[in-house]
Amino acid sequence: MRFELGLEAPDPRRARRSALTIGGSYVFGGLIPLAPYMALHSVLMGLSISVGITLLALLAFGYIKGHFIGINPLRAGLQTVLTGGLAAGAAFLIAKLVS
C-alpha cells in the first residue's frame, strides 16, 4: 500500500474508532434523505423535499471533498451530484419495479 498508493498500514488500535466513525456517518447520511418523510404527512411532498435536500447535500459533500483533495470544488460537487443522483434514481426505479 505504501509504494503503490502512498498509504501507511492501518493501525489496529484505531479499528473501533474507525468503525464508530463509519457507522455514525452512515446513520447521519441516511437521515438526510429520510428527514422530510419523518417531518411531513404528505409522501409526495416528502419525496420532493428529500430529493432537493439530498442533491444539496451531495453538492456540499462533493464541494468539500474537492477542496480537500485539491481539485476544483465546484466540479467535484457537480460530479458528486451526478453520480449520487444517478445512483439514487436507479435505486428508486428498481424499488418501483420490484414492488
Side-chain angles (χ1 to χ4, degrees), residues 70-94:
I71 63 173
N72 183 326
L74 184 58
R75 180 176 175 163
L78 293 174
Q79 286 175 337
T80 304
V81 166
L82 180 65
T83 304
L86 289 173
F92 182 80
L93 289 175
I94 289 170

Side-chain angles (χ1 to χ4, degrees), residues 37-53:
Y37 293 105
M38 293 185 279
L40 301 170
H41 291 88
S42 169
V43 174
L44 290 177
M45 181 64 83
L47 176 63
S48 300
I49 293 174
S50 177
V51 167
I53 288 174

Side-chain angles (χ1 to χ4, degrees), residues 58-68 71-74 76-78 80:
L58 288 169
L59 182 66
F61 292 146
Y63 188 92
I64 292 166
K65 175 193 75 169
H67 174 75
F68 280 111
I71 63 173
N72 183 326
L74 184 58
L78 293 174
T80 304

